[in-house]
Amino acid sequence: MSYLDNVIFALLAVGAIGFFVFNVKKIWGWVQVGVGQEDVRTDKPQERFYDMMMGGFGQAKMFKDLWPGIMHALIFWGFILVSIGTGESLLYGITGGFSYAWVVGDGFLYNVYLFLQDIANFAVTVAIVWAIYRRQVAKPKRLDSLGKDSKIDGLIVLAFIGGLVFTALLYMGGKVHAGDLPAGPLFFSRLASGVFGGAFISSAEGWSTYGDGFFWVHCLILFGFMVFIPFSKHQHFIWIWPNIFFRSHKSRGRLRPMEISEDAESFGVGKATEFSWKQLLDGYTCVECGRCTEQCPATTTGKPLDPRKMIKHLKSGLLDTVTNPEEDKRKALIGDIVTQDELWACTTCGACMEACPLYIEHIPAIVDMRRYLTLTEGQFPQELNNTFKSLETNSSPWAMDPSTRADWAKGLEVSTMAEKSDVEYLFWVGCAGSYDDRGKKVSQSLVKILKEAGVSFSILGTEEQCNGDTARRLGNEYLAQMQIEANVENFKRYDVKKVVTGCPHCFNTIKNEYPDFGYQAQEVIHHTELINDLIKQGKIKPQKAPEDTKQMTYHDSCYLGRHNQVYDSPRDSLNAVPGTSTTEMPRNKEKGFCCGAGGGRMWMEETIGTRVNNNRSEEAVKTGADTVAVACPFCMTMMTDGVKNEGAEDKVKVKDVAEIVADSL
């Protein structure tokens, strides 16, 4: 390369890198306009760094979908190795002769470096062809709903990366044939360059010109890629690292509390700038891969909600804000960008967050916008009027007299905390366990088990109020906090140290959200966990299978499973019952399908698309099981209705794990 070539190359490199840095810095500045409340995201730095390395470099979540995961890993890991070679190329172009051999010598280490570059360039080339085939021929269902611009964006990025690695093979192969690089470590480079140049190049000078030509093509593609990336959805290359580092280390089932001030003009998020900086960063991190969409029960059953599009809405709202300084010219976040039907379709099941390889947090953003609709605008589905009214007057979403809250326990000799507080466990019964007819039977079954095991416990009785889950997830944070604070006061008054509950929603809220309000129990345990512990300790011994329960299938509650990682205890408890067997549904554990009742959907009509519970119940009935085992009162109701819809109520029963174990004693 001549001196002039070096100068031109240096100007192009500085210009491309400078343009890239300028735009990345600009986007980071946009993200910082978010003024919404945010948790501390800088604690546990070592753990956060480890998570970043495992999630980013390790591609931990990508391998949950094996073959696409392998394809992506080949591209990513290969691209990392290729980037090391890119550094050498840039320095070579600027200086006219730099080589890593100057640093490590031209012996073994440099040959290893060349070998790894060769392998990486070839592997990424193959993976890019594979990726284009998947997008254009195989066409995974989760990519169907991608917009045209997004599909084109993806193909452009694949073309850039494919061009980079393939031209690297060609220019390095040219240098081999010209005698500038050793042939041994560069098999694929020699092969590629031979195929594309061997027929018409015979001299070392010709190969040198060939190599130099493809070197320039390679670097111009690199500079074009740098210019393009900040405007592409594939800028996740940049944002994945801070997004994983700053991800929430709280339970996925926890919602961040909202500060309620009498002076506030609005509550929740009604404008893009009212999101937190981390939520806006999620919008720029999303690569629109559709893994969340593929798992979402709302999307699957034809609802307007697509979690991928929801995160894209965050980015759209921010872009509209920064490009329109005059507020009256901006689109309304809720109405013009996000529709109310999208927001209310969410069951907060967590399938989207479980599936996302970039650790994007969909649910908090959706609930923040629900908070705005409910508290600021007073706009929510009409049927929730009765739910909110009942929560306010009866301390329960069931319109039942609060004085009857403990009637389910009559004749069972169950003490209240007011009568006996020196017990090991507070049995938190919950609204369903107190008022719903099927829920009452579950509560009675758990009492039978606890008494059989000799566990000391009491209930709050009429002092118990709704745990706050329903109001919070429907956006009524003010009402939820009133209920939470009343319950926390009782917990402190009775010095409650351990809590057992039969409802995953109560379990999740008391365990993960009550600490934000000043109450941290020594132990909050779901009844399936306690039952399993009692069986293992030999304190209860299942003797025989109930008459109508021989073949079971277990339905994972979202708030017990995905949100709190309790998968094994319910299954172990069921498997401990002699004379029974369990068959898994195809969608189970972290990929379990929602019953449709979470996120306050229990109290709302389902009029769009098909019913979520029918989708799940059809899957359960197809297993051939005579019993669908559940561990949640909401799941009990939804699966029972779904089994009836399948016309299978005479041959398939829906039972709680506690009922099955209690009947086996």
Side-chain angles (χ1 to χ4, degrees), residues 257-258 260 375 388-389 391-395 428 463-469 471-472 476-490 514 517:
M258 184 184 76
I260 297 176
L375 295 177
F388 289 146
K389 182 178 179 181
L391 284 166
E392 290 174 5
T393 58
N394 302 317
S395 301
W428 178 272
E463 291 184 279
E464 185 181 281
Q465 295 191 27
C466 181
N467 67 85
D469 166 89
R472 289 200 91 186
N476 199 333
E477 181 73 8
Y478 180 77
L479 177 57
Q481 290 194 17
M482 287 178 59
Q483 296 170 328
I484 292 171
E485 288 166 0
N487 288 323
V488 165
E489 183 180 345
N490 282 329
Y514 277 33
F517 295 89

Side-chain angles (χ1 to χ4, degrees), residues 6-188:
N6 298 148
V7 172
I8 293 172
F9 187 94
L11 290 173
L12 289 172
V14 170
I17 294 171
F19 188 79
F20 173 81
V21 172
F22 171 80
N23 281 288
V24 168
K25 185 178 179 182
K26 180 174 67 175
I27 293 169
W28 182 251
W30 289 349
V31 166
Q32 300 306 306
V33 305
V35 297
Q37 293 170 236
E38 190 49 86
D39 291 324
V40 173
R41 300 273 182 166
T42 54
D43 59 329
K44 305 175 183 176
Q46 292 179 329
E47 185 177 338
R48 290 182 178 278
F49 181 78
Y50 175 80
D51 286 349
M52 182 178 72
M53 298 303 289
M54 289 300 296
F57 283 109
Q59 302 281 286
K61 277 196 170 185
M62 294 300 300
F63 288 104
K64 289 187 176 182
D65 197 358
L66 182 60
W67 289 108
I70 292 173
M71 178 196 72
H72 191 276
L74 285 175
I75 295 174
F76 178 77
W77 291 336
F79 191 76
I80 293 296
L81 284 173
V82 169
S83 296
I84 298 172
T86 299
E88 183 182 44
S89 297
L90 289 173
L91 291 171
Y92 173 82
I94 293 170
T95 64
F98 177 84
S99 167
Y100 285 149
W102 293 5
V103 180
V104 299
D106 58 1
F108 175 75
L109 287 179
Y110 190 63
N111 283 336
V112 169
Y113 158 73
L114 291 175
F115 174 75
L116 291 176
Q117 288 295 299
D118 192 57
I119 291 292
N121 283 315
F122 176 74
V124 175
T125 300
V126 171
I128 290 295
V129 173
W130 182 1
I132 293 174
Y133 172 82
R134 286 190 79 247
R135 283 177 169 268
Q136 299 301 107
V137 181
K139 295 183 179 180
K141 188 176 179 181
R142 61 183 168 84
L143 298 180
D144 285 349
S145 60
L146 274 178
K148 182 179 179 181
D149 290 345
S150 186
K151 291 179 180 178
I152 292 173
D153 185 295
L155 290 174
I156 291 173
V157 168
L158 289 175
F160 267 124
I161 298 175
L164 276 172
V165 293
F166 190 64
T167 53
L169 285 172
L170 296 180
Y171 93 71
M172 291 178 75
K175 287 189 174 185
V176 170
H177 290 295
D180 297 329
L181 287 175
L186 295 169
F187 171 78
F188 292 111

Side-chain angles (χ1 to χ4, degrees), residues 232-498:
S232 164
K233 67 188 180 73
H234 281 77
Q235 58 187 275
H236 76 293
F237 293 152
I238 308 163
W239 305 120
I240 180 178
W241 311 106
N243 209 60
I244 296 179
F245 185 85
F246 293 119
R247 77 180 184 90
S248 175
H249 278 222
K250 304 284 187 179
S251 165
R252 188 182 298 138
R254 168 189 174 264
L255 287 178
R256 182 174 59 248
M258 184 184 76
E259 292 182 10
I260 297 176
S261 170
E262 295 180 0
D263 300 329
E265 295 181 1
S266 68
F267 301 96
V269 173
K271 303 175 184 176
T273 53
E274 291 172 340
F275 285 116
S276 73
W277 65 269
K278 176 59 174 64
Q279 289 171 320
L280 295 176
L281 181 61
D282 280 344
Y284 272 93
T285 304
C286 179
V287 71
E288 301 176 37
C289 67
R291 286 173 173 81
C292 56
T293 300
E294 188 175 50
Q295 301 299 322
C296 177
T299 310
T300 300
T301 56
K303 310 299 189 291
L305 174 64
D306 179 338
R308 165 177 52 196
K309 291 181 180 178
M310 182 60 68
I311 297 303
K312 189 176 180 180
H313 291 331
L314 271 63
K315 181 179 177 181
S316 299
L318 176 58
L319 281 172
D320 182 61
T321 298
V322 299
T323 55
N324 289 296
E326 297 179 30
E327 189 169 340
D328 59 352
K329 293 184 179 180
R330 298 173 189 167
K331 295 177 181 178
L333 175 65
I334 304 175
D336 294 333
I337 298 175
V338 184
T339 68
Q340 292 194 28
D341 282 340
E342 286 179 277
L343 295 177
W344 294 116
C346 181
T347 67
T348 67
C349 70
C352 51
M353 293 171 64
E354 174 70 37
C356 180
L358 306 181
Y359 297 87
I360 287 168
E361 299 162 21
H362 308 68
I363 294 173
I366 291 172
V367 173
D368 279 345
M369 286 184 277
R370 283 186 177 185
R371 286 168 170 172
Y372 176 81
L373 287 174
T374 299
L375 295 177
T376 304
E377 297 294 329
Q379 296 180 17
F380 44 80
Q382 186 176 1
E383 58 265 35
L384 294 182
N385 278 312
N386 290 332
T387 303
F388 289 146
K389 182 178 179 181
S390 186
L391 284 166
E392 290 174 5
T393 58
N394 302 317
S395 301
S396 164
W398 273 269
M400 305 291 283
D401 184 349
S403 66
T404 65
R405 194 173 189 105
D407 285 2
W408 65 271
K410 286 182 177 179
L412 298 180
E413 299 181 354
V414 175
S415 61
T416 65
M417 293 297 285
E419 296 166 340
K420 184 182 179 183
S421 62
D422 185 20
V423 291
E424 184 176 6
Y425 285 100
L426 164 65
F427 172 21
W428 178 272
V429 184
C431 301
S434 300
Y435 296 122
D436 180 69
D437 288 341
R438 286 295 284 113
K440 292 177 188 178
K441 293 179 181 179
V442 176
S443 299
Q444 291 160 357
S445 294
L446 183 55
V447 166
K448 177 181 178 180
I449 292 170
L450 295 176
K451 285 182 173 291
E452 176 81 11
V455 176
S456 64
F457 68 95
S458 290
I459 63 175
L460 280 170
T462 56
E463 291 184 279
E464 185 181 281
Q465 295 191 27
C466 181
N467 67 85
D469 166 89
T470 294
R472 289 200 91 186
R473 279 144 188 83
L474 290 173
N476 199 333
E477 181 73 8
Y478 180 77
L479 177 57
Q481 290 194 17
M482 287 178 59
Q483 296 170 328
I484 292 171
E485 288 166 0
N487 288 323
V488 165
E489 183 180 345
N490 282 329
F491 285 174
K492 290 181 176 179
R493 181 155 52 91
Y494 290 120
D495 193 24
V496 174
K497 293 182 173 62
K498 294 184 179 182

